[in-house]
């Protein structure tokens, strides 16, 4: 049975890149009838917080992703927070120590940093140089007497590491490419590598799907699986999410957190759709897909290994498509929080419908709905539409029709517009010459929702008032 995991570190809000990793895992597992485990990788206690953990869970759920085991729902392999699994890691570290595969390392963070910088400046890949690998017990005692608390390092064997990546094929790491890495930090907590491997092994993870930036880690992890006597999972390293300039997608490219996109009015199904399309082409040119449709069509074997370059315009395009795919009542519900100043209006659904074809995100709503607010005087150029004999006749006629009719519903508003057009039909007047003066008189703008929407939402009294105001010349 397929078992995958989402393994977020709760050190910040859910990043689009991590959401993409979670999505691939979810699509793969659910497509195979497998299980999803949510594991919180909070071994970095200083940077991790419960608040961020909750925010990440919230955002994952908002995207429509779910899991079978995790810190919130429990499961047979609980606990699901690495900070609560210290005992399990220590037992495994002890096992490695018994096998002579570890040694205490007394190098300080400053010393390590200095070595790293030196290596980089000399053009070498920074690899732990083995300073503490063969220390005599007398030297160890001496260092401990200086008050140094050792970390525990893994004694990396001198051999090539290779594996079959599900996307990249055969991957190999030559013998000297991996330095002895830390298993247990000097504060007694397990490091990222030990914790991750022990968890993947004891939680029965069958497939690890993660970003290419973890490729070298996988080499380390395979060595640990081997040393601990566990069978490793299968690995797939997907391409990274890059900003438009080719650098790893980060703050300097704009919003990176799923949360920020939600707040801007992007829909979860547009985000999952977009993130999937970044590295995968759907069959038969079907591009606009909700999560369920993605699940039906997605095949991890079709994933592309090319870099995934973030393109906001494509996301916008998809979001607009998804908005217009929803039923009006669904959009209205989703829109409420984005237009609080309008959502209490009895005709809010009509207002939303009137701008539906124009918006890209729900966050665009307030700007578009402004039309229904207080009328601002038209600017110089727009006011031109109110001048001239035809415009005056149109406005007079519109007032006349409105006087006689009731604007009971959208249909009656549509009829008002129809009657106005018919009144000028035989007089060699262009439709724009009829509709624009009316629009400008009603809203002060030369663009906006359909006139029947404007008439209906503003209501007969307000429309007449605005028409008369325009006729009195106070607009022009
Ligand atoms: N916690 C790691 C991260 O957030 C994921 C590690 C993994 O997938 O093995 O990058």
């Amino acid at each position: 049975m397929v078992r995958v995991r989402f393994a977020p570190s709760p050190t910040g809000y859910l990043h689009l890149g991590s959401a993409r990793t979670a999505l691939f895992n979810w699509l793969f597992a659910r497509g195979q009838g497998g299980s999803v485990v949510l594991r919180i990788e909070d071994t970095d206690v200083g940077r991790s917080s419960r608040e961020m953990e909750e925010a990440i869970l919230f955002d994952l759920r908002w995207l429509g992703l779910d899991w079978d085991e995790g810190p919130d729902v429990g499961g047979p392999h609980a606990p699901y927070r690495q900070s609560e699994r210290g005992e399990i890691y220590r037992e495994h570290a002890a096992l490695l120590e018994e096998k002579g595969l570890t040694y205490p390392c007394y190098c300080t963070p400053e010393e390590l940093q200095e070595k790293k910088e030196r290596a980089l400046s000399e053009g070498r890949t920074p690899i732990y140089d083995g300073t503490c690998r063969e220390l005599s017990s007398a030297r160890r005692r001496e260092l401990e007497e200086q008050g140094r608390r050792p970390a525990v390092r893994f004694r990396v064997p001198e051999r090539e590491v290779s594996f079959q990546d599900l996307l990249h094929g055969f991957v190999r790491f030559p013998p000297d490419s991996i330095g002895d890495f830390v298993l247990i930090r000097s504060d007694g907590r397990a490091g990222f590598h030990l914790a991750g491997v022990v968890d993947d092994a004891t939680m029965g993870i069958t497939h690890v799907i993660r970003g290419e930036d973890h490729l070298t880690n996988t080499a380390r992890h395979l060595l640990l699986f081997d040393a601990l006597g566990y069978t490793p999972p299968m690995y797939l390293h997907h391409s990274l999410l890059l900003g438009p300039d080719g650098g790893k997608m980060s703050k300097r490219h704009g919003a990176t957190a799923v949360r920020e996109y939600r707040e801007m009015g992007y829909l979860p199904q547009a985000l999952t759709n977009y993130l999937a399309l970044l590295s995968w082409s759907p069959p038969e040119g079907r591009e606009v897909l909700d999560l369920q449709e993605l699940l039906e069509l997605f095949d991890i074997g079709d994933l592309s290994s090319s870099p995934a370059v973030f393109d906001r315009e494509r996301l916008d395009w998809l979001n607009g498509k998804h908005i217009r795919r929803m039923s009006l009542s669904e959009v209205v519900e989703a829109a409420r929080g984005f237009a609080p100043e309008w959502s209490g209006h009895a005709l809010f659904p009509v207002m939303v419908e009137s701008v539906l074809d124009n918006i890209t995100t729900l966050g665009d709503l307030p700007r578009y709905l402004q039309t229904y607010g207080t009328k601002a005087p038209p600017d110089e150029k727009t006011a031109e539409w109110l001048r001239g004999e035809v415009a005056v006749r149109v406005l007079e006629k519109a007032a006349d029709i409105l006087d006689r009719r009731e604007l009971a519903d959208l249909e009656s508003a549509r009829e008002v517009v129809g009657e106005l057009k018919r009144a000028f039909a035989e007089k060699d007047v262009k439709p724009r010459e009829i509709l624009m003066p009316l629009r400008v008189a009603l809203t002060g703008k030369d663009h906006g929702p359909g006139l029947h929407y404007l008439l209906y939402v503003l209501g007969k009294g307000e429309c007449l008032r605005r028409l008369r105001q325009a006729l009195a010349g106070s607009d022009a």
Side-chain angles (χ1 to χ4, degrees):
M1 225 259 287
V2 164
R3 283 173 64 80
V4 304
R5 80 303 199 274
F6 303 157
S9 302
T11 53
Y13 289 119
L14 183 68
H15 189 282
L16 282 180
S18 312
R20 180 163 156 267
T21 304
L23 175 66
F24 291 153
N25 276 282
W26 186 91
L27 287 170
F28 172 66
R30 294 298 184 230
Q32 305 276 322
S35 304
V36 178
V37 174
L38 177 76
R39 181 169 83 219
I40 298 297
E41 303 214 324
D42 55 353
T43 52
D44 187 345
V45 279
R47 292 174 58 227
S48 300
S49 75
R50 262 317 150 83
E51 189 195 339
M52 282 306 149
E53 175 187 318
E54 276 161 28
I56 290 171
L57 264 60
F58 184 95
D59 292 345
L60 286 169
R61 270 193 218 103
W62 178 76
L63 287 172
L65 307 181
D66 61 355
W67 47 93
D68 309 289
E69 299 168 33
D72 56 334
V73 290
H77 302 284
Y80 291 93
R81 279 187 200 99
Q82 292 190 328
S83 59
E84 295 165 12
R85 296 172 64 81
E87 199 46 47
I88 307 172
Y89 306 139
R90 276 189 290 279
E91 281 165 18
H92 283 81
L95 200 79
L96 294 172
E97 191 186 345
E98 272 167 35
K99 293 185 177 181
L101 295 173
T102 68
Y103 61 88
C105 168
Y106 298 88
C107 297
T108 62
E110 295 75 28
E111 285 165 353
L112 293 169
Q113 185 59 26
E114 202 188 304
K115 288 181 201 186
K116 185 174 167 186
E117 278 162 21
R118 199 174 327 130
L120 288 172
S121 72
E122 289 166 10
R124 290 180 287 119
T125 316
I127 281 179
Y128 182 62
D129 62 1
T131 305
C132 298
R133 209 175 214 248
E134 311 296 345
L135 292 183
S136 66
S137 41
R139 178 68 184 142
R140 282 183 189 159
R141 244 193 329 276
E142 206 177 291
L143 288 163
E144 289 196 12
E145 273 158 19
Q146 287 174 17
R148 293 202 189 201
R149 302 256 313 273
V152 178
R153 275 187 196 270
F154 182 63
R155 206 179 275 280
V156 170
E158 282 208 21
R159 65 170 173 86
E160 178 182 285
V161 183
S162 63
F163 70 101
Q164 199 68 32
D165 184 276
L166 291 174
L167 183 61
H168 298 270
F170 191 66
V171 182
R172 65 156 53 131
F173 292 87
D176 292 327
S177 56
I178 306 156
D180 294 348
F181 54 89
V182 170
L183 296 173
I184 304 279
R185 299 191 188 110
S186 59
D187 64 3
R189 291 180 186 274
F192 164 71
H193 305 297
L194 180 67
V197 166
V198 168
D199 288 348
D200 285 340
T202 57
M203 293 179 178
I205 300 303
T206 60
H207 294 76
V208 169
I209 300 172
R210 59 185 177 188
E212 267 170 17
D213 50 343
H214 283 292
L215 264 170
T216 323
N217 289 333
T218 296
R220 297 184 179 105
H221 297 176
L222 287 168
L223 289 169
L224 277 184
F225 271 100
D226 189 45
L228 289 166
Y230 287 123
T231 311
M234 303 285 279
Y235 287 92
L236 186 149
H237 294 85
H238 61 71
S239 63
L240 296 183
L241 181 60
L242 305 182
D245 62 358
K248 203 169 161 181
M249 176 85 177
S250 70
K251 278 277 164 233
R252 73 199 149 92
H253 301 113
T256 53
V258 166
R259 178 158 297 238
E260 293 171 275
Y261 285 87
R262 176 172 63 244
E263 285 163 3
M264 285 188 271
Y266 287 88
L267 301 173
Q269 60 271 41
L271 276 178
T272 47
N273 193 169
Y274 177 68
L275 292 175
L277 291 194
L278 271 175
S279 306
W280 170 78
S281 308
E284 312 142 30
R286 287 181 59 188
E287 283 190 292
V288 185
L289 303 162
D290 65 21
L291 193 56
Q292 204 51 42
E293 292 163 320
L294 269 184
L295 181 57
E296 280 156 28
L297 297 174
F298 184 84
D299 182 342
I300 199 107
D302 296 336
L303 215 56
S304 152
S305 58
S306 324
V309 180
F310 187 75
D311 171 2
R312 181 78 169 261
E313 274 178 34
R314 185 129 194 260
L315 171 61
D316 284 350
W317 178 80
L318 275 172
N319 203 62
K321 290 277 180 198
H322 278 284
I323 286 180
R324 290 180 272 286
R325 244 185 153 208
M326 289 161 91
S327 70
L328 179 62
S329 57
E330 282 172 332
V331 183
V332 168
E333 268 327 295
R336 287 196 189 282
F338 288 91
E341 65 274 43
W342 301 102
S343 61
H345 196 292
L347 297 181
F348 182 60
V350 180
M351 295 179 172
V352 172
E353 184 186 275
S354 74
V355 298
L356 210 52
D357 287 342
N358 306 97
I359 56 172
T360 299
T361 68
L362 298 174
D364 291 338
L365 276 171
R367 191 156 50 84
Y368 281 90
L369 295 185
Q370 252 169 28
T371 318
Y372 294 112
T374 327
K375 179 178 149 188
D379 61 30
E380 192 56 30
K381 193 164 157 280
T382 310
E384 293 281 331
W385 285 106
L386 300 173
R387 300 201 184 106
E389 189 215 342
V390 176
V392 172
R393 278 199 290 130
V394 164
L395 296 183
E396 278 169 352
K397 186 71 192 168
D400 175 47
I401 299 170
L402 272 176
D403 247 342
R404 286 184 283 105
R405 280 181 168 266
E406 291 308 317
L407 288 176
D409 50 26
L410 209 47
E411 200 37 50
S412 45
R414 218 187 283 268
E415 283 164 16
V416 168
V417 180
E419 191 178 334
L420 185 65
K421 280 193 195 159
R422 276 195 305 280
F424 290 88
E426 287 147 33
K427 300 190 179 118
D428 196 26
V429 178
K430 294 192 202 84
R432 267 169 81 79
E433 290 178 275
I434 306 164
L435 303 180
M436 282 304 239
L438 180 56
R439 176 180 293 288
V440 175
L442 291 179
T443 66
K445 297 207 178 61
D446 59 3
H447 57 271
L451 276 169
H452 55 297
Y453 286 111
L454 288 171
L455 290 167
Y456 179 47
V457 173
L458 291 174
K460 176 168 168 165
E462 182 62 16
C463 287
L464 278 170
R465 199 182 66 74
R466 293 187 185 189
L467 283 175
R468 291 188 178 127
Q469 184 190 38
L471 278 166
S474 42
D475 278 345

